[in-house]
Amino acid sequence: MNYAEIKEYDIANGPGVRVSLFVSGCRNACPGCFNPETWDFDYGQTYTLETEDKILRLLLPDYIEGLTLLGGEPFEPENQAVLVGLLRKVRRIYPKKSIWCYTGYTYEKDLLKGGSRHTSFTDEMLSLIDVLVDGRFLLAEKDITLLYRGSRNQRILALHSGKGDKEDAGYAGTGARNALKEIEDLARGDTGWK
């Protein structure tokens, strides 16, 4: 998998200050897309264990409320295989930080079992994502007054509640030292990442 960019301090793609990963590859090719270069699966840089380690470290500060995946298209089958591993680690290390994901696909039609983008990784990805913003960007429905979406047809779906609330921002356990140690252990050991 390739990625276009990692935003260390993103305030546009979910609540609070977030780390955002823009993946490469998208078959939707929505007219008016703000990131058309990310349609190309070969655009940007190769996602590596070092990339993953960087993302996990960027999530460490208390003021970072969570991770956002967008692109490109996180739910392209090629991207799901890699992203599910990242989501597992984020959920394990930072259980109270929220995970948001943007997709041009529709939850019921494309992502649930039998859908056009359902793979062996999709159900697990959905189980790890707190909020899914779904639907293609439609230029005719563009509305710059909307919060966290670009066109009126797009939906903000709370898949899981209780994570990433302002009062719960941060992570469980004894704090930053434990999170940092777990990141380092994952970087050195068998990470399950493929």
Side-chain angles (χ1 to χ4, degrees), residues 42-57:
D42 295 322
Y43 179 78
Q45 302 173 59
T46 303
Y47 185 93
T48 64
L49 284 173
E50 290 76 23
T51 309
E52 195 162 271
D53 183 62
K54 176 181 178 177
I55 292 167
L56 293 171
R57 288 175 186 275

Side-chain angles (χ1 to χ4, degrees), residues 17 60 84 117 126 162 184:
V17 181
L60 186 61
V84 72
R117 289 301 175 261
L126 292 170
E184 290 167 353

